[in-house]
Amino acid sequence: MGPFQITGAAVVDGSGRDPVDVDVTVEDGRIAQLGASRAHGERLDAGGLTMTPGLIDAHVHLGLSSPIQPQFSFRISAAEIAADIFATAGATLDAGFTTVRDTGGIDGGVVTTIAKGKVRGPRVLSCGPVQCQTGGHGYYGAEWEPTELWSSHHVPGLCALSMMSGNADELRGNVREAFRRGASFLKLCVTGGVVGAHDRLTDTQFTVEEIAVAVQEAAARGTYVTVHAHNNEGIRNAVEAGVRCVEHGTDLDESTATLMATREVALVPTFAVVEQLLHDTAGTGLDESTRDRVLGVRERMTEALAVAKEAGVRIGLGSDLIGPAQDRRGEELKLRAELETPMEALVAATKTNAEILGLSSEVGVIASGMQADLVLWNGNPLEDPELFADPANAVLVLQAGRVVKDLR
């Protein structure tokens, strides 16, 4: 379509500045200008609505869109797994998220299929399979099953949850394989996890030297490593090894936060998944024992957020939702708005996340020249952040200047 103008909306540009009433002209998939334009073309009246940049979720698992335990025990067909992945991709767009970073579980074919427009979904950056140490977080095989059988459960081009490495050389081989399959960054698990089979949150996994191998391989391709890390020792190991980002960060302490700030390592806390596991364990397809593992995590993660903020760490936003119930991705902004301000939550989900993902020249703020990823909200989510949590409030979603959802 030709150039068009969106008029009448209160524009929250993602930079942290207060909303302004300004027209936005969209042309060739980009924001051509802010302010009154002489360009002829369609006018889209958005009176009473609030415009934000398309939201970004820096921690998603599209490949874990089926009930978790049945999927991990290989009782679900590839066709059904694919159907669930594509449904989640569409629901992500409907919730106002135009870009996501998939932190493990999909294989390259999913990224390509969405990018070609064959199914509705956001732009996806993916690490492919998560890199784990033998028997560490991310391994869900039966105890009797030999480790080497684990990757035979991957469905090439669709889902590949994790790869196991017994030492630095195996890790080097595995990360090269992940890049071969189309990964655009790497993710390692360097501590135990909440949804764990064989480990505890207090375990550290991979040595500093091993993590550094992945960092070296990522740097060779102009990209970076992020890590799943809950305990402070694991976080510190990863930071010392040169990673660029930490996911969860539950037990982060002040000295490690200071080190992160000094080395410009970002943090992506994940509150929505904690709420999900506390309140609807069964809905994710996991048993109640998972709930016990998550008790106390919310309080500690809240403290870690405050510690990181105090130290000046760059803090993004990620939901980490798993299982079939991933339609309310905006819950993460609502939860963060309760701990900070709604504006800080929005900036984390737009400008800051774009920086963390290496996309800040393309998306994350509403400015001329940027890609026209835009959401028009029913009402003002800065006054009522509950609006972010309900996809019905994302009245209009534009992705690269194309209307991909319209409830007007």
Side-chain angles (χ1 to χ4, degrees), residues 162-220:
S162 52
M163 299 170 94
M164 300 300 138
S165 304
N167 56 47
D169 284 345
E170 288 180 12
L171 180 64
R172 195 181 294 277
N174 283 340
V175 305
R176 287 176 177 174
E177 172 64 12
F179 281 127
R180 181 197 70 72
R181 294 187 197 176
S184 52
F185 67 99
L186 296 175
K187 180 183 168 198
L188 271 61
C189 292
V190 301
T191 74
V194 172
V195 183
H198 307 281
D199 57 20
R200 297 159 306 187
L201 285 179
T202 49
D203 294 352
T204 61
Q205 297 172 0
F206 286 129
T207 62
V208 175
E209 295 72 24
E210 286 169 333
I211 301 165
V213 166
V215 170
Q216 187 186 25
E217 290 292 330

Side-chain angles (χ1 to χ4, degrees), residues 33-362:
Q33 72 179 84
L34 302 184
S37 161
R38 294 205 181 89
H40 298 296
E42 199 185 330
R43 291 171 76 80
L44 201 150
D45 179 18
L49 304 177
T50 303
M51 182 191 293
T52 67
L55 303 179
I56 302 170
D57 190 334
H59 194 122
V60 309
H61 292 289
L62 298 179
L64 305 182
S65 295
S66 306
I68 300 295
Q69 273 175 336
Q71 181 174 352
F72 285 177
S73 47
F74 321 111
R75 301 202 299 271
I76 301 179
S77 72
E80 192 174 338
I81 291 169
D84 292 343
I85 288 172
F86 296 144
T88 293
T92 298
L93 215 46
D94 288 337
F97 289 83
T98 50
T99 301
V100 298
R101 182 176 64 158
D102 194 289
T103 48
I106 55 173
D107 217 9
V110 173
V111 179
T112 315
T113 303
I114 296 171
K116 285 179 176 173
K118 296 198 169 188
V119 291
R120 293 177 71 239
R123 172 207 274 113
V124 184
L125 299 183
S126 165
C127 67
V130 183
Q131 305 299 325
C132 309
Q133 78 170 33
T134 304
H137 182 64
Y139 179 68
Y140 299 99
E143 273 153 16
W144 59 265
E145 183 182 84
T147 302
E148 54 269 23
L149 290 181
W150 173 247
S151 41
S152 64
H153 297 303
H154 289 180
V155 182
L158 182 64
C159 57
L161 181 62
S162 52
M163 299 170 94
M164 300 300 138
S165 304
N167 56 47
D169 284 345
E170 288 180 12
L171 180 64
R172 195 181 294 277
N174 283 340
V175 305
R176 287 176 177 174
E177 172 64 12
F179 281 127
R180 181 197 70 72
R181 294 187 197 176
S184 52
F185 67 99
L186 296 175
K187 180 183 168 198
L188 271 61
C189 292
V190 301
T191 74
V194 172
V195 183
H198 307 281
D199 57 20
R200 297 159 306 187
L201 285 179
T202 49
D203 294 352
T204 61
Q205 297 172 0
F206 286 129
T207 62
V208 175
E209 295 72 24
E210 286 169 333
I211 301 165
V213 166
V215 170
Q216 187 186 25
E217 290 292 330
R221 293 161 183 80
T223 187
Y224 68 96
V225 175
T226 190
V227 291
H228 157 102
H230 286 284
N231 69 61
N232 191 63
E233 200 178 336
I235 298 169
R236 188 170 272 273
N237 286 344
V239 173
E240 285 177 356
V243 309
R244 305 297 307 152
C245 189
V246 170
E247 313 294 311
H248 316 302
T250 306
D251 291 315
L252 178 66
D253 74 9
E254 285 164 23
S255 71
T256 306
T258 303
L259 185 66
M260 284 176 69
T262 306
R263 302 234 179 138
E264 297 185 344
V265 179
L267 174 69
V268 177
T270 53
F271 290 95
V273 70
V274 177
E275 293 297 309
Q276 183 187 31
L277 292 172
L278 281 170
H279 296 124
D280 189 21
T281 320
T284 62
L286 288 161
D287 60 41
E288 286 298 318
S289 66
T290 305
R291 200 157 158 235
D292 302 336
R293 295 175 71 112
V294 90
L295 291 172
V297 168
R298 176 177 48 193
E299 293 71 18
R300 290 171 8 236
M301 200 181 277
T302 300
E303 177 62 23
L305 173 65
V307 165
K309 224 174 148 176
E310 178 68 24
V313 174
R314 175 178 284 167
I315 306 168
L317 174 143
S319 68
D320 194 21
L321 294 174
I322 54 172
Q326 297 192 32
D327 51 324
R328 289 175 63 91
R329 206 167 282 293
E331 290 276 358
E332 189 66 31
L333 280 89
K334 187 196 89 170
L335 293 167
R336 279 286 287 277
E338 291 165 7
L339 303 172
E340 306 179 80
T341 65
M343 181 65 92
E344 285 171 314
L346 177 69
V347 171
T350 52
K351 178 176 180 279
T352 307
N353 269 354
E355 290 165 0
I356 291 171
L357 272 56
L359 294 174
S360 57
S361 62
E362 283 292 305

